mmCIF file of all heavy atoms in Angstrom:
data_model
loop_
_atom_site.group_PDB
_atom_site.id
_atom_site.type_symbol
_atom_site.label_atom_id
_atom_site.label_comp_id
_atom_site.label_asym_id
_atom_site.label_seq_id
_atom_site.Cartn_x
_atom_site.Cartn_y
_atom_site.Cartn_z
ATOM 1 N N ALA A 9 -1.207 78.403 -34.788
ATOM 2 C CA ALA A 9 -2.264 79.146 -34.100
ATOM 3 C C ALA A 9 -1.960 79.286 -32.609
ATOM 4 O O ALA A 9 -2.107 80.369 -32.026
ATOM 5 C CB ALA A 9 -3.606 78.445 -34.310
ATOM 6 N N ALA A 10 -1.525 78.187 -31.989
ATOM 7 C CA ALA A 10 -1.214 78.226 -30.563
ATOM 8 C C ALA A 10 -0.015 79.129 -30.275
ATOM 9 O O ALA A 10 -0.039 79.939 -29.336
ATOM 10 C CB ALA A 10 -0.953 76.814 -30.057
ATOM 11 N N ASP A 11 1.030 79.016 -31.095
ATOM 12 C CA ASP A 11 2.237 79.819 -30.880
ATOM 13 C C ASP A 11 1.967 81.309 -31.065
ATOM 14 O O ASP A 11 2.598 82.148 -30.414
ATOM 15 C CB ASP A 11 3.342 79.377 -31.841
ATOM 16 C CG ASP A 11 3.935 78.018 -31.494
ATOM 17 O OD1 ASP A 11 3.613 77.491 -30.410
ATOM 18 O OD2 ASP A 11 4.701 77.482 -32.317
ATOM 19 N N GLN A 12 1.042 81.644 -31.966
ATOM 20 C CA GLN A 12 0.717 83.052 -32.212
ATOM 21 C C GLN A 12 -0.268 83.605 -31.179
ATOM 22 O O GLN A 12 -0.567 84.800 -31.192
ATOM 23 C CB GLN A 12 0.122 83.206 -33.619
ATOM 24 C CG GLN A 12 1.102 82.925 -34.744
ATOM 25 C CD GLN A 12 2.283 83.870 -34.739
ATOM 26 O OE1 GLN A 12 2.123 85.088 -34.708
ATOM 27 N NE2 GLN A 12 3.487 83.304 -34.754
ATOM 28 N N GLY A 13 -0.779 82.733 -30.327
ATOM 29 C CA GLY A 13 -1.713 83.184 -29.304
ATOM 30 C C GLY A 13 -3.128 83.384 -29.789
ATOM 31 O O GLY A 13 -3.940 84.031 -29.106
ATOM 32 N N TYR A 14 -3.468 82.831 -30.949
ATOM 33 C CA TYR A 14 -4.831 82.971 -31.447
ATOM 34 C C TYR A 14 -5.771 82.121 -30.590
ATOM 35 O O TYR A 14 -5.479 80.964 -30.283
ATOM 36 C CB TYR A 14 -4.944 82.518 -32.897
ATOM 37 C CG TYR A 14 -4.046 83.261 -33.871
ATOM 38 C CD1 TYR A 14 -3.495 82.611 -34.977
ATOM 39 C CD2 TYR A 14 -3.747 84.610 -33.689
ATOM 40 C CE1 TYR A 14 -2.681 83.282 -35.874
ATOM 41 C CE2 TYR A 14 -2.924 85.290 -34.574
ATOM 42 C CZ TYR A 14 -2.379 84.614 -35.672
ATOM 43 O OH TYR A 14 -1.573 85.268 -36.554
ATOM 44 N N LYS A 15 -6.900 82.684 -30.231
ATOM 45 C CA LYS A 15 -7.908 81.950 -29.468
ATOM 46 C C LYS A 15 -9.014 81.395 -30.357
ATOM 47 O O LYS A 15 -9.731 80.471 -29.958
ATOM 48 C CB LYS A 15 -8.524 82.863 -28.402
ATOM 49 C CG LYS A 15 -7.514 83.416 -27.397
ATOM 50 C CD LYS A 15 -6.781 82.293 -26.658
ATOM 51 C CE LYS A 15 -5.810 82.845 -25.627
ATOM 52 N NZ LYS A 15 -5.015 81.764 -24.980
ATOM 53 N N SER A 16 -9.150 81.967 -31.541
ATOM 54 C CA SER A 16 -10.211 81.523 -32.438
ATOM 55 C C SER A 16 -9.761 81.646 -33.888
ATOM 56 O O SER A 16 -8.997 82.555 -34.242
ATOM 57 C CB SER A 16 -11.487 82.347 -32.226
ATOM 58 O OG SER A 16 -11.235 83.720 -32.462
ATOM 59 N N VAL A 17 -10.218 80.726 -34.721
ATOM 60 C CA VAL A 17 -9.837 80.688 -36.135
ATOM 61 C C VAL A 17 -11.062 80.286 -36.956
ATOM 62 O O VAL A 17 -11.796 79.371 -36.568
ATOM 63 C CB VAL A 17 -8.697 79.664 -36.379
ATOM 64 C CG1 VAL A 17 -8.433 79.493 -37.876
ATOM 65 C CG2 VAL A 17 -7.421 80.108 -35.685
ATOM 66 N N ALA A 18 -11.287 80.968 -38.065
ATOM 67 C CA ALA A 18 -12.279 80.532 -39.047
ATOM 68 C C ALA A 18 -11.546 79.807 -40.164
ATOM 69 O O ALA A 18 -10.373 80.091 -40.442
ATOM 70 C CB ALA A 18 -13.048 81.725 -39.601
ATOM 71 N N VAL A 19 -12.212 78.870 -40.820
ATOM 72 C CA VAL A 19 -11.585 78.034 -41.841
ATOM 73 C C VAL A 19 -12.339 78.178 -43.163
ATOM 74 O O VAL A 19 -13.571 78.061 -43.198
ATOM 75 C CB VAL A 19 -11.581 76.553 -41.413
ATOM 76 C CG1 VAL A 19 -10.964 75.680 -42.504
ATOM 77 C CG2 VAL A 19 -10.837 76.381 -40.094
ATOM 78 N N LEU A 20 -11.618 78.459 -44.211
ATOM 79 C CA LEU A 20 -12.152 78.378 -45.572
ATOM 80 C C LEU A 20 -11.423 77.230 -46.251
ATOM 81 O O LEU A 20 -10.199 77.223 -46.315
ATOM 82 C CB LEU A 20 -11.912 79.681 -46.343
ATOM 83 C CG LEU A 20 -12.621 80.934 -45.828
ATOM 84 C CD1 LEU A 20 -12.228 82.147 -46.670
ATOM 85 C CD2 LEU A 20 -14.139 80.754 -45.851
ATOM 86 N N TYR A 21 -12.167 76.247 -46.756
ATOM 87 C CA TYR A 21 -11.528 75.072 -47.342
ATOM 88 C C TYR A 21 -12.136 74.746 -48.702
ATOM 89 O O TYR A 21 -13.317 74.984 -48.956
ATOM 90 C CB TYR A 21 -11.645 73.861 -46.413
ATOM 91 C CG TYR A 21 -13.049 73.352 -46.179
ATOM 92 C CD1 TYR A 21 -13.599 72.363 -46.991
ATOM 93 C CD2 TYR A 21 -13.830 73.852 -45.136
ATOM 94 C CE1 TYR A 21 -14.885 71.891 -46.788
ATOM 95 C CE2 TYR A 21 -15.113 73.388 -44.919
ATOM 96 C CZ TYR A 21 -15.639 72.408 -45.736
ATOM 97 O OH TYR A 21 -16.920 71.948 -45.532
ATOM 98 N N LYS A 22 -11.300 74.211 -49.574
ATOM 99 C CA LYS A 22 -11.750 73.805 -50.903
ATOM 100 C C LYS A 22 -12.688 72.608 -50.769
ATOM 101 O O LYS A 22 -12.397 71.647 -50.056
ATOM 102 C CB LYS A 22 -10.550 73.440 -51.779
ATOM 103 C CG LYS A 22 -10.914 73.126 -53.227
ATOM 104 C CD LYS A 22 -9.647 72.900 -54.046
ATOM 105 C CE LYS A 22 -9.983 72.495 -55.473
ATOM 106 N NZ LYS A 22 -10.666 73.551 -56.214
ATOM 107 N N ASN A 23 -13.786 72.659 -51.473
ATOM 108 C CA ASN A 23 -14.807 71.624 -51.350
ATOM 109 C C ASN A 23 -14.478 70.432 -52.244
ATOM 110 O O ASN A 23 -15.139 70.161 -53.244
ATOM 111 C CB ASN A 23 -16.191 72.195 -51.696
ATOM 112 C CG ASN A 23 -17.315 71.288 -51.217
ATOM 113 O OD1 ASN A 23 -17.100 70.395 -50.390
ATOM 114 N ND2 ASN A 23 -18.510 71.516 -51.723
ATOM 115 N N ASP A 24 -13.410 69.726 -51.871
ATOM 116 C CA ASP A 24 -13.042 68.487 -52.551
ATOM 117 C C ASP A 24 -12.498 67.525 -51.497
ATOM 118 O O ASP A 24 -12.547 67.814 -50.294
ATOM 119 C CB ASP A 24 -12.027 68.734 -53.678
ATOM 120 C CG ASP A 24 -10.671 69.241 -53.193
ATOM 121 O OD1 ASP A 24 -10.473 69.378 -51.962
ATOM 122 O OD2 ASP A 24 -9.787 69.489 -54.038
ATOM 123 N N ASP A 25 -12.000 66.367 -51.920
ATOM 124 C CA ASP A 25 -11.527 65.367 -50.958
ATOM 125 C C ASP A 25 -10.458 65.926 -50.028
ATOM 126 O O ASP A 25 -10.479 65.680 -48.811
ATOM 127 C CB ASP A 25 -10.960 64.146 -51.698
ATOM 128 C CG ASP A 25 -12.041 63.291 -52.331
ATOM 129 O OD1 ASP A 25 -13.221 63.522 -52.023
ATOM 130 O OD2 ASP A 25 -11.699 62.406 -53.128
ATOM 131 N N TRP A 26 -9.512 66.666 -50.611
ATOM 132 C CA TRP A 26 -8.436 67.225 -49.802
ATOM 133 C C TRP A 26 -8.959 68.257 -48.814
ATOM 134 O O TRP A 26 -8.684 68.191 -47.606
ATOM 135 C CB TRP A 26 -7.377 67.862 -50.709
ATOM 136 C CG TRP A 26 -6.391 68.709 -49.971
ATOM 137 C CD1 TRP A 26 -5.406 68.273 -49.132
ATOM 138 C CD2 TRP A 26 -6.295 70.143 -49.987
ATOM 139 N NE1 TRP A 26 -4.700 69.345 -48.625
ATOM 140 C CE2 TRP A 26 -5.227 70.498 -49.134
ATOM 141 C CE3 TRP A 26 -7.002 71.145 -50.644
ATOM 142 C CZ2 TRP A 26 -4.861 71.824 -48.930
ATOM 143 C CZ3 TRP A 26 -6.637 72.470 -50.429
ATOM 144 C CH2 TRP A 26 -5.571 72.792 -49.586
ATOM 145 N N GLY A 27 -9.739 69.214 -49.289
ATOM 146 C CA GLY A 27 -10.230 70.275 -48.421
ATOM 147 C C GLY A 27 -11.139 69.754 -47.321
ATOM 148 O O GLY A 27 -11.067 70.197 -46.166
ATOM 149 N N GLN A 28 -12.001 68.819 -47.649
ATOM 150 C CA GLN A 28 -12.891 68.242 -46.645
ATOM 151 C C GLN A 28 -12.089 67.499 -45.577
ATOM 152 O O GLN A 28 -12.410 67.556 -44.388
ATOM 153 C CB GLN A 28 -13.895 67.314 -47.323
ATOM 154 C CG GLN A 28 -14.885 68.037 -48.217
ATOM 155 C CD GLN A 28 -15.591 67.106 -49.188
ATOM 156 O OE1 GLN A 28 -15.570 65.883 -49.034
ATOM 157 N NE2 GLN A 28 -16.218 67.677 -50.210
ATOM 158 N N ASP A 29 -11.053 66.807 -46.027
ATOM 159 C CA ASP A 29 -10.182 66.103 -45.081
ATOM 160 C C ASP A 29 -9.486 67.100 -44.164
ATOM 161 O O ASP A 29 -9.400 66.908 -42.941
ATOM 162 C CB ASP A 29 -9.158 65.288 -45.871
ATOM 163 C CG ASP A 29 -8.452 64.235 -45.027
ATOM 164 O OD1 ASP A 29 -9.111 63.587 -44.204
ATOM 165 O OD2 ASP A 29 -7.238 64.045 -45.211
ATOM 166 N N MET A 30 -8.975 68.184 -44.748
ATOM 167 C CA MET A 30 -8.321 69.213 -43.947
ATOM 168 C C MET A 30 -9.277 69.794 -42.916
ATOM 169 O O MET A 30 -8.929 69.944 -41.739
ATOM 170 C CB MET A 30 -7.794 70.328 -44.858
ATOM 171 C CG MET A 30 -6.563 69.968 -45.645
ATOM 172 S SD MET A 30 -5.086 69.727 -44.626
ATOM 173 C CE MET A 30 -4.814 71.369 -44.004
ATOM 174 N N ALA A 31 -10.496 70.128 -43.326
ATOM 175 C CA ALA A 31 -11.457 70.737 -42.416
ATOM 176 C C ALA A 31 -11.765 69.810 -41.245
ATOM 177 O O ALA A 31 -11.876 70.252 -40.088
ATOM 178 C CB ALA A 31 -12.736 71.089 -43.171
ATOM 179 N N ARG A 32 -11.901 68.520 -41.531
ATOM 180 C CA ARG A 32 -12.189 67.551 -40.477
ATOM 181 C C ARG A 32 -11.034 67.468 -39.474
ATOM 182 O O ARG A 32 -11.244 67.472 -38.256
ATOM 183 C CB ARG A 32 -12.439 66.187 -41.111
ATOM 184 C CG ARG A 32 -12.681 65.055 -40.124
ATOM 185 C CD ARG A 32 -12.900 63.741 -40.836
ATOM 186 N NE ARG A 32 -11.744 63.320 -41.629
ATOM 187 C CZ ARG A 32 -10.677 62.721 -41.131
ATOM 188 N NH1 ARG A 32 -10.603 62.476 -39.813
ATOM 189 N NH2 ARG A 32 -9.673 62.361 -41.908
ATOM 190 N N LEU A 33 -9.809 67.399 -39.991
ATOM 191 C CA LEU A 33 -8.642 67.287 -39.120
ATOM 192 C C LEU A 33 -8.397 68.564 -38.328
ATOM 193 O O LEU A 33 -8.031 68.525 -37.145
ATOM 194 C CB LEU A 33 -7.409 66.947 -39.955
ATOM 195 C CG LEU A 33 -7.407 65.555 -40.595
ATOM 196 C CD1 LEU A 33 -6.321 65.462 -41.657
ATOM 197 C CD2 LEU A 33 -7.214 64.482 -39.538
ATOM 198 N N ILE A 34 -8.599 69.709 -38.985
ATOM 199 C CA ILE A 34 -8.388 70.996 -38.322
ATOM 200 C C ILE A 34 -9.307 71.140 -37.116
ATOM 201 O O ILE A 34 -8.895 71.623 -36.050
ATOM 202 C CB ILE A 34 -8.612 72.151 -39.323
ATOM 203 C CG1 ILE A 34 -7.419 72.249 -40.285
ATOM 204 C CG2 ILE A 34 -8.833 73.478 -38.608
ATOM 205 C CD1 ILE A 34 -7.691 73.112 -41.493
ATOM 206 N N ALA A 35 -10.552 70.723 -37.274
ATOM 207 C CA ALA A 35 -11.502 70.849 -36.174
ATOM 208 C C ALA A 35 -10.984 70.143 -34.920
ATOM 209 O O ALA A 35 -11.086 70.666 -33.799
ATOM 210 C CB ALA A 35 -12.855 70.274 -36.591
ATOM 211 N N ALA A 36 -10.398 68.962 -35.101
ATOM 212 C CA ALA A 36 -9.888 68.196 -33.961
ATOM 213 C C ALA A 36 -8.567 68.763 -33.445
ATOM 214 O O ALA A 36 -8.376 68.921 -32.231
ATOM 215 C CB ALA A 36 -9.712 66.736 -34.363
#
């Protein structure tokens, strides 16, 4: 995201242990 110059990103994640973990980490 940083290398492409994106300033904002929306996230769609699978509602399971993996997806929830990804969403939490992505936010940070």
Side-chain angles (χ1 to χ4, degrees):
D11 288 351
Q12 293 298 308
Y14 301 146
K15 300 301 182 185
S16 59
V17 172
V19 178
L20 295 178
Y21 65 91
K22 185 175 176 65
N23 196 16
D24 65 2
D25 287 349
W26 168 71
Q28 293 163 15
D29 196 41
M30 286 293 294
R32 177 181 62 81
L33 292 166
I34 285 166

